[in-house]
Amino acid sequence: MIYDAFLPGVLLLGFGFKMLRPKLKGDLGEQSVSLAIHGMGLPIQNDVTFPGKNGLTQIDHLVLTRSAIVVLETKNYSGSLYDNGRGQGGGWIQRFPSGKQNRLHNPLDQNYGHIKSVGKIVPGVPVTGFVVLAGNARFPNGLPEGVLTIRDLKRKLKELNQGEGANPASIQEAWSKLQQADCRDGASHREQMRQVTGGGLKYWIQTSAPWITGVGLAMVLGGIYF
């Protein structure tokens, strides 16, 4: 009977949503940053994939300003964050009121690699970057250098975009070159996902989560209405 599919559907739906939750949260943070930049009228490229040091590298946002290409890494975190520095042995500590804590890679290191990748594509053009906190996480000891809230980001972009008239030709040409270099085909996306997840079971779960969620939802709805 179709009704018998209801409980398995609930389980599949719950499992799929649990796997999707980090991506959905990340996408929401990226969307809030993108909307803020669009509201300023600045050109922006979202979810860009370029050749990097160890294969492909995915960049959350590129922004065109009069004085530099800006590389942004968005993090939608919650809780309290503490900075233990960069490089090996460094990172961020995320703590919650419940006492739970997580050790996070320092996204400033990640974005440094992104800046270098962009610089190789457009050598000689000023490239800078920041990590943007899009969630409600806070640094009780103060924001590390290079980390901005969305409000701080808008202020910084205004500073970088000061001036009148057209953008300098060198920066505008670099922007066009970056648009052309963006790898948006499906094969590049899958390869980048393999690199991020390390392949294997984790890659399968990440790529199958939308399908699992959809099947679970269909089974639940089938059990309710039939």
Side-chain angles (χ1 to χ4, degrees):
M1 295 176 60
I2 295 179
Y3 181 79
D4 293 337
F6 179 80
L7 182 56
V10 169
L11 296 175
L12 278 177
L13 184 61
F15 176 75
F17 182 76
K18 182 179 180 180
M19 295 301 101
L20 278 176
R21 188 173 180 276
K23 184 179 186 306
L24 293 174
K25 186 176 180 182
D27 289 347
L28 182 62
E30 291 174 21
Q31 184 67 18
S32 63
V33 171
S34 180
L35 289 173
I37 295 170
H38 274 298
M40 298 177 66
L42 293 175
I44 181 173
Q45 295 185 56
N46 300 305
D47 192 18
V48 183
T49 302
F50 291 139
K53 182 179 179 181
N54 299 308
L56 295 173
T57 185
Q58 186 271 334
I59 299 173
D60 291 340
H61 317 280
L62 291 178
V63 185
L64 174 63
T65 70
R66 287 180 54 81
S67 57
I69 303 291
V70 184
V71 182
L72 301 177
E73 176 68 24
T74 295
K75 294 299 181 185
N76 189 3
Y77 290 146
S78 56
S80 297
L81 299 174
Y82 299 86
D83 180 28
N84 283 344
R86 298 176 60 178
Q88 188 173 5
W92 290 359
I93 300 297
Q94 180 185 38
R95 293 176 181 163
F96 299 95
S98 64
K100 179 183 176 182
Q101 71 175 35
N102 299 316
R103 187 176 184 87
L104 309 171
H105 291 295
N106 193 326
L108 288 166
D109 289 331
Q110 180 183 9
N111 209 43
Y112 176 79
H114 293 166
I115 293 170
K116 289 297 184 182
S117 295
V118 172
K120 288 182 179 180
I121 298 172
V122 289
V125 173
V127 179
T128 189
F130 307 98
V131 171
V132 186
L133 290 182
N136 59 11
R138 294 294 179 267
F139 279 89
N141 298 328
L143 289 171
E145 184 177 356
V147 179
L148 305 173
T149 63
I150 294 180
R151 180 182 296 180
D152 293 335
L153 172 66
K154 293 170 70 173
R155 187 181 304 116
K156 177 61 70 173
L157 291 177
K158 286 180 180 178
E159 292 175 3
L160 292 169
N161 201 48
Q162 286 182 354
E164 298 180 357
N167 292 324
S170 60
I171 292 182
Q172 192 64 49
E173 289 171 5
W175 184 253
S176 297
K177 189 173 182 180
L178 290 170
Q179 289 178 309
Q180 295 169 5
D182 185 8
C183 304
R184 290 202 170 268
D185 59 284
S188 295
H189 176 72
R190 290 190 294 272
E191 177 59 28
Q192 197 272 332
M193 281 289 293
R194 285 191 185 93
Q195 292 175 198
V196 170
T197 61
L201 179 61
K202 190 172 182 180
Y203 170 77
W204 183 87
I205 290 175
Q206 288 288 332
T207 54
S208 301
W211 180 83
I212 293 172
T213 304
V215 170
L217 180 60
M219 292 172 69
V220 169
L221 293 176
I224 292 175
Y225 292 109
F226 294 95

